[in-house]
Amino acid sequence: MADHKEYWSTESDQGSIRISEDVVASIAALATSETTGVSGLYSTLTSDIVSFLSKKNQSKGVRIELGEEDTVRIEIGFLALFGHNICEVAKQVQENVKSSVESMTGLKVVEVNVHVGGVTFAPAPAAEESAPAAAPEE
């Protein structure tokens, strides 16, 4: 496989295991988006340009850095949902991402840096079109 992706690799008596950084990014993105108070992922123009120039196809708003000794550093940008405590949401994102990545890949997460790119508002509930109530029959 001669491609440009970074892989975490390990050898065992049964063969080798290779996990792409894109897989780790997808796990982190899903764990973030499932956190209460997160509206969506967020990436800056700068990170989009860097991803494009380095030809890395990662989940939007997630940057992965594989390190030595089975470690990984993760940076995540997200949009917070109005009405939630942003610091609490960010801490929960860190915990969810760390737990998900470590349990699914076996890698040790040494950092989860979060960047809150903005606040979004929940869409207004659609006004229910109520049909005129029928008068009770006498």
Side-chain angles (χ1 to χ4, degrees):
M1 289 186 230
D3 55 21
H4 60 275
K5 294 180 183 173
E6 295 278 330
Y7 287 88
W8 169 78
S9 299
T10 187
E11 299 288 330
S12 71
D13 58 344
Q14 296 177 342
S16 66
I17 300 170
R18 292 173 40 118
I19 300 175
S20 168
E21 65 184 9
D22 291 344
V23 171
V24 179
S26 295
I27 293 167
L30 188 59
T32 300
S33 64
E34 290 178 343
T35 304
T36 301
V38 172
S39 173
L41 294 174
Y42 167 82
S43 66
T44 63
L45 180 60
T46 305
S47 64
D48 286 343
I49 291 171
V50 169
S51 293
F52 176 74
L53 293 177
S54 65
K55 294 183 174 53
K56 291 187 177 179
N57 184 19
Q58 296 178 344
S59 297
K60 178 181 177 181
V62 180
R63 199 177 114 227
I64 302 297
E65 181 183 322
L66 296 173
E68 298 296 318
E69 300 178 17
D70 301 341
T71 62
V72 63
R73 287 173 167 45
I74 302 170
E75 280 193 40
I76 298 175
F78 70 89
L79 299 171
L81 194 56
F82 181 79
H84 293 270
N85 182 313
I86 294 174
C87 289
E88 291 301 317
V89 172
K91 287 176 187 175
Q92 192 62 50
V93 165
Q94 288 176 317
E95 291 173 16
N96 291 351
V97 167
K98 181 177 181 180
S99 173
S100 294
V101 170
E102 286 182 347
S103 68
M104 293 180 76
T105 66
L107 293 168
K108 173 140 178 60
V109 177
V110 292
E111 287 181 10
V112 178
N113 298 312
V114 297
H115 305 277
V116 181
V119 176
T120 61
F121 300 91
E128 292 185 25
E129 294 183 31
S130 55
E137 294 182 25
E138 294 181 28

